[in-house]
């Protein structure tokens, strides 16, 4: 309450100046830190989380600016509020011009004398409401004329409760300024009682909180937008997982392919997801018994992430199976897959390796499209097969893919993998290695498992060893590994 309204009350003791100065310094330091966080927030307008972060920081800066000004006013003393003039309101002189400053230009005060029906406004209140400083202040009956229709009942109720039931005022309403702009005003006040307990006048402090409320709305809207986008992303992630598992189901243990006859393959595979929260990619592994007792082995990776990529992977894998069942050899098969990708509505890039195993002669025919070559383990050592020519699927129209053959022996083990099995940061054990050196290091790490593979009883045991060696690493992309051992 302004001092002149209650002369019989003891004057409040001002706080220690040193304490307030220390609080001001802390506030300004914190304001600088928040502003630094705001500047570092992502600037992409498509980034909902970045927009939310910037909005929260902007809101915090508004509040810290006001806190700084409040503390300065606490240190320097409140602004002067003119005492009620005994002259009629219409004849009073205009109040002094408001002080400069971000806070003082947004905080005004007023007193309404119920006995004389006079009103007294500070210059800041004229500025907040956009009224001419030479005009007389509005009475309590006239004040609602500035307020939006839907907010008038609330203002009327607050004033009535204050005047009749001596309740403090604390609420917000929107006012329309003469220039047509709408401002949000927060009003706090209380009644001033005369000696017999009757309400003699009402005083209030009114604050323009338009920018603060705008910032809060932006925070709320960006939070809702971020939550919607997160929900969409979670839904797409779940759909991608369900689609992937329907096409590339997890195997429980090893498979024998073909299911009957000698020299069959013992096959096992595993899918390694990317780090938590990363979208599902287009990796696949597959093993399929073909007519005539042959077996198709393949792994591949379609670039990108999400439902569209997973559905594209499902299309490719379905086409690969269909053409393989029809008897298409690996090199021709990849050529047709390349043509299929080239003619899709959403072209993409992909890599793959496709192998066809003939148990009668233990012959492996294979082709690759920009993909790591299969690794062959024999007698406790391992090597990478020499790759035939083959570019990435979708890289160029009419690409021709070479085909190679490898004679296998009983006990030989083949390892097929996608590129993400060994993350880039784990591929090079020594700092400063180039991409080629890191790739060589990755192959050497896999080939180093040869002695352990020689002691394994099943292909599933070998897959487990690979997962133990590489599965714990942080990876940006998902990965697949497939192991096939030649039986007797």
């Amino acid at each position: 309450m302004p001092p002149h309204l209650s002369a019989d009350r003891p004057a409040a003791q001002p706080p220690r100046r040193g304490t307030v100065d220390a609080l001001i310094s802390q506030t300004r330091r914190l304001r600088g830190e928040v502003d630094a966080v705001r500047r570092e927030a992502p600037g992409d307008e498509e980034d909902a989380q970045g927009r939310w972060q910037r909005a929260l920081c902007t809101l915090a800066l508004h509040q810290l600016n006001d806190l700084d000004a409040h503390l300065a006013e606490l240190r320097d003393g409140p602004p002067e509020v003119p005492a009620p003039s005994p002259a009629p309101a219409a004849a009073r002189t205009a109040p002094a011009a408001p002080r400069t400053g971000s806070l003082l230009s947004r905080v005004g005060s007023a007193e309404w004398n119920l006995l004389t029906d006079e009103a007294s406004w500070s210059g800041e209140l004229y500025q907040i409401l956009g009224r001419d400083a030479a005009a007389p202040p509005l009475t309590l009956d006239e004040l609602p004329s500035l307020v939006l229709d839907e907010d008038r009942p609330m203002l009327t109720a607050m004033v009535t409760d204050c005047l009749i039931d001596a309740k403090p005022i604390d609420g917000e309403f929107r006012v329309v300024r003469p220039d047509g702009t709408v401002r949000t005003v927060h009003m706090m006040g209380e009644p001033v009682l005369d000696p017999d307990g009757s309400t003699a006048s009402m005083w209030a402090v009114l604050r323009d909180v338009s920018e603060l409320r705008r910032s809060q709305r932006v925070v709320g809207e960006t939070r809702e937008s971020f939550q919607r986008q997160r929900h969409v992303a979670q839904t797409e992630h779940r759909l991608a997982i369900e689609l992937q598992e329907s096409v590339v189901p997890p195997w429980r243990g090893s498979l024998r392919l073909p299911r009957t006859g000698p020299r069959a393959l013992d096959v096992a595979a595993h899918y390694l997801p990317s780090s938590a929260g990363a979208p599902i990619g287009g990796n696949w592994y597959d093993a399929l018994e073909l007519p005539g007792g042959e077996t198709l082995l393949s792994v591949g990776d379609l670039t990108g992430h999400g439902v569209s990529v997973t559905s594209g992977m499902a299309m490719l894998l379905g086409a690969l199976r269909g053409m393989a069942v029809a008897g298409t050899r690996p090199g021709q098969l990849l050529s047709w897959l390349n043509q299929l990708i080239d003619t899709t509505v959403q072209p993409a890039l992909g890599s793959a390796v496709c192998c066809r195993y003939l148990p009668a002669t233990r012959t492996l025919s294979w082709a690759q499209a920009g993909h790591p070559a299969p690794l062959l383990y024999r007698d406790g050592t391992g090597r990478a097969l020499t790759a035939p020519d083959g570019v990435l699927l979708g890289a160029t129209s009419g690409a021709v893919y070479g085909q190679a053959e490898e004679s296998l022996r009983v006990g030989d083990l083949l390892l097929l993998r996608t590129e993400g099995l060994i993350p880039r940061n784990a591929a090079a054990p020594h700092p400063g290695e180039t991409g080629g050196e890191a790739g060589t290091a990755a192959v050497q790490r896999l080939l180093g498992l040869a002695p352990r593979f020689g002691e394994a009883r099943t292909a599933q045991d070998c897959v487990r060893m690979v997962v133990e060696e590489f599965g714990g690493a942080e990876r940006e992309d998902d990965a697949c590994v497939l192991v096939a051992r030649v039986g007797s």
Side-chain angles (χ1 to χ4, degrees), residues 117-200:
D117 198 29
E118 293 176 348
S120 173
W121 284 10
S122 69
E124 292 80 8
L125 185 54
Y126 277 88
Q127 186 179 13
I128 291 172
L129 300 181
R131 292 182 61 80
D132 184 355
L138 299 182
T139 66
L140 283 177
D141 292 333
E142 296 170 331
L143 185 63
S145 64
L146 303 179
V147 180
L148 289 181
D149 293 344
E150 53 266 39
D151 291 353
R152 286 177 187 170
M154 178 180 59
L155 174 63
T156 301
M158 288 193 303
V159 172
T160 300
D161 289 342
C162 179
L163 298 180
I164 296 179
D165 299 326
K167 292 182 178 180
I169 291 177
D170 188 354
E172 292 183 7
F173 50 88
R174 290 164 296 172
V175 298
V176 181
R177 293 158 55 106
D179 60 5
T181 58
V182 177
R183 308 296 292 178
T184 302
V185 176
H186 183 207
M187 182 176 184
M188 296 183 64
E190 64 182 33
V192 179
L193 305 181
D194 59 18
D196 64 3
S198 301
T199 302

Side-chain angles (χ1 to χ4, degrees), residues 16 27 39 173 179 207 245 267 273 307 420 482:
R16 290 182 297 176
T27 301
R39 291 196 302 269
F173 50 88
D179 60 5
R207 180 186 180 198
E245 291 182 347
V267 184
V307 175
L482 183 149

Side-chain angles (χ1 to χ4, degrees), residues 320-333:
L320 187 153
R321 288 173 173 175
M323 289 186 288
V325 168
T328 307
R329 310 306 295 176
Q332 183 63 58
L333 193 154

Side-chain angles (χ1 to χ4, degrees), residues 355-367:
C355 306
R356 194 176 183 110
Y357 172 69
L358 179 61
T361 60
R362 287 196 295 264
T363 301
L364 184 78
S365 301
W366 70 284

Side-chain angles (χ1 to χ4, degrees), residues 100-340:
T100 59
S102 62
L103 176 68
L104 296 182
S105 63
R106 297 199 305 269
V107 179
S109 60
E111 180 187 359
W112 289 275
N113 191 312
L114 303 182
L115 302 179
T116 62
D117 198 29
E118 293 176 348
S120 173
W121 284 10
S122 69
E124 292 80 8
L125 185 54
Y126 277 88
Q127 186 179 13
I128 291 172
L129 300 181
R131 292 182 61 80
D132 184 355
L138 299 182
T139 66
L140 283 177
D141 292 333
E142 296 170 331
L143 185 63
S145 64
L146 303 179
V147 180
L148 289 181
D149 293 344
E150 53 266 39
D151 291 353
R152 286 177 187 170
M154 178 180 59
L155 174 63
T156 301
M158 288 193 303
V159 172
T160 300
D161 289 342
C162 179
L163 298 180
I164 296 179
D165 299 326
K167 292 182 178 180
I169 291 177
D170 188 354
E172 292 183 7
F173 50 88
R174 290 164 296 172
V175 298
V176 181
R177 293 158 55 106
D179 60 5
T181 58
V182 177
R183 308 296 292 178
T184 302
V185 176
H186 183 207
M187 182 176 184
M188 296 183 64
E190 64 182 33
V192 179
L193 305 181
D194 59 18
D196 64 3
S198 301
T199 302
S201 63
M202 188 188 83
W203 75 272
V205 172
L206 295 93
R207 180 186 180 198
D208 185 346
V209 294
S210 303
E211 294 303 316
L212 181 61
R213 296 298 173 254
R214 185 194 62 79
S215 296
Q216 289 174 331
R217 286 195 300 272
V218 171
V219 168
E221 291 168 359
T222 52
R223 180 187 292 115
E224 292 176 359
S225 174
F226 175 65
Q227 290 174 342
R228 286 195 301 270
Q229 293 189 19
R230 182 171 59 180
H231 176 70
V232 170
Q234 290 172 341
T235 301
E236 290 184 349
H237 185 73
R238 184 177 66 253
L239 290 175
I241 292 176
E242 293 174 354
L243 178 58
Q244 184 188 59
E245 291 182 347
S246 67
V247 178
V248 188
W251 294 345
R252 307 302 179 187
S254 300
L255 298 179
R256 176 185 169 85
L257 296 173
R259 286 170 291 183
T260 60
R263 303 173 181 176
L265 295 178
D266 175 26
V267 184
H270 189 78
Y271 171 82
L272 292 91
S274 56
S275 303
I280 293 294
N283 283 250
W284 84 79
Y285 60 81
D286 193 33
L288 178 67
E289 183 176 348
L290 301 175
E294 296 185 13
T295 297
L296 173 73
L297 303 176
S298 71
V299 297
D301 180 14
L302 195 63
T303 57
H305 298 88
V307 175
S308 61
V309 172
T310 309
S311 61
M313 176 270 291
M315 177 195 67
L316 282 185
L317 187 53
L320 187 153
R321 288 173 173 175
M323 289 186 288
V325 168
T328 307
R329 310 306 295 176
Q332 183 63 58
L333 193 154
L334 290 181
S335 295
W336 286 347
L337 282 184
N338 179 69
Q339 183 176 351
L340 178 63

